[in-house]
Amino acid sequence: MAGLLLAMLAVWLGTGWLDGFDYRGVNKLGRRFLRALPWALPLAAVGGLLLYTYFRWALAETNKGWVTLIAVVRAFALFPLLGFAMLFAMMLGVLAAIPYALYRKFADRRQPADDDAPGLVDRLLVPPLWMMTLPFTLLKIESQGDIEIPARIPAARLRSWLPFFFLLLLAGPGFEDEASGERIDPNWLAVLATYWLADCLIVTGYVAPTLAARAREARAAKLRRGH
């Protein structure tokens, strides 16, 4: 439900930014979104429960066939948002590579440079890539790419990406269909954005804290066995 409200807000703000908030079409779009809330919110709640159930399966490593099949579809569904985020992360990483390298070299000369430490671009790419491939990671399916995907990422680090995802959605109303040259329908964009944000919110607010709690329990059990 939070994903739906944020998606509608992002599409409305993005359309208003492009066309002007005094444009009649923008006001019409806002009224249309408000009229849709009585039936869209219950549907969003049901969708959120289904998504929550899916991640419970993935965390419990049950129904692996369905989890894997849905994970493939999910990766394609999330790619427009997370792929866009990774593109911006790469651009930012390239622009900041030299200042970042100088900072690492001169910030603290007492500590030797770690040649095996991931570069800035890799560090920026990891959170959205981890989100997109999360079910495969939960099922212990190793990635074959050049970027090492960790088993878990702190929820605080993921939360810092949520405002960035919202800002990216503001540009969505300006995207055009390559065949017709017309803008993407804002209603369909709101539907897609609802899923994108809902998935990211559940991963950040449920999956990441669950993995962190499991890690704490594993460390505590190890310490008890040591004593």
Side-chain angles (χ1 to χ4, degrees):
M1 294 169 72
L4 172 66
L5 295 175
L6 290 172
M8 287 182 169
L9 179 61
V11 173
W12 180 76
L13 287 175
T15 305
W17 176 58
L18 287 172
D19 299 332
F21 289 99
D22 56 347
Y23 179 58
R24 187 171 64 178
V26 175
N27 295 327
K28 184 179 179 181
L29 178 65
R31 290 194 297 270
R32 188 188 308 156
F33 283 164
L34 290 175
R35 288 196 301 269
L37 286 179
W39 58 265
L41 282 173
L43 284 178
V46 173
L49 288 174
L50 292 175
L51 196 56
Y52 173 79
T53 301
Y54 170 72
F55 280 112
R56 284 190 63 185
W57 287 355
L59 285 166
E61 298 184 40
T62 58
N63 302 296
K64 292 185 178 181
W66 283 109
V67 171
T68 304
L69 178 61
I70 296 173
V72 175
V73 178
R74 175 183 175 272
F76 281 101
L78 286 175
F79 183 77
L81 175 66
L82 298 184
F84 198 27
M86 286 187 283
L87 176 62
F88 270 88
M90 289 180 62
M91 295 170 59
L92 178 62
V94 171
L95 291 174
I98 295 178
Y100 179 71
L102 292 174
Y103 168 78
R104 290 186 59 192
K105 183 176 181 180
F106 297 107
D108 191 352
R109 296 188 177 186
R110 292 173 299 176
Q111 297 181 358
D114 185 1
D115 295 334
D116 295 330
L120 178 61
V121 174
D122 289 353
R123 292 181 62 186
L124 290 173
L125 287 178
V126 164
L129 187 59
W130 182 83
M131 282 187 171
M132 191 161 60
T133 60
L134 176 59
F136 302 106
T137 302
L138 295 176
L139 294 179
K140 310 295 191 299
I141 300 176
E142 295 184 2
S143 62
Q144 302 297 323
D146 296 331
I147 300 177
E148 182 179 352
I149 301 177
R152 63 184 183 89
I153 290 181
R157 187 177 176 189
L158 297 176
R159 283 195 297 269
S160 66
W161 278 80
L162 295 178
F164 181 60
F165 294 153
F166 183 83
L167 290 175
L168 288 180
L169 288 175
L170 297 181
F175 292 164
E176 297 179 352
D177 186 275
E178 294 182 359
S180 64
E182 297 180 354
R183 285 187 189 175
I184 297 177
D185 188 311
N187 299 296
W188 283 110
L189 179 59
V191 172
L192 289 172
T194 296
Y195 167 68
W196 294 336
L197 291 175
D199 194 294
C200 293
L201 286 170
I202 289 177
V203 168
T204 303
Y206 168 60
V207 179
T210 300
L211 293 176
R214 287 182 177 180
R216 289 193 297 270
E217 291 173 0
R219 286 195 297 268
K222 186 176 181 180
L223 289 174
R224 288 194 296 269
R225 288 195 300 269
H227 291 298

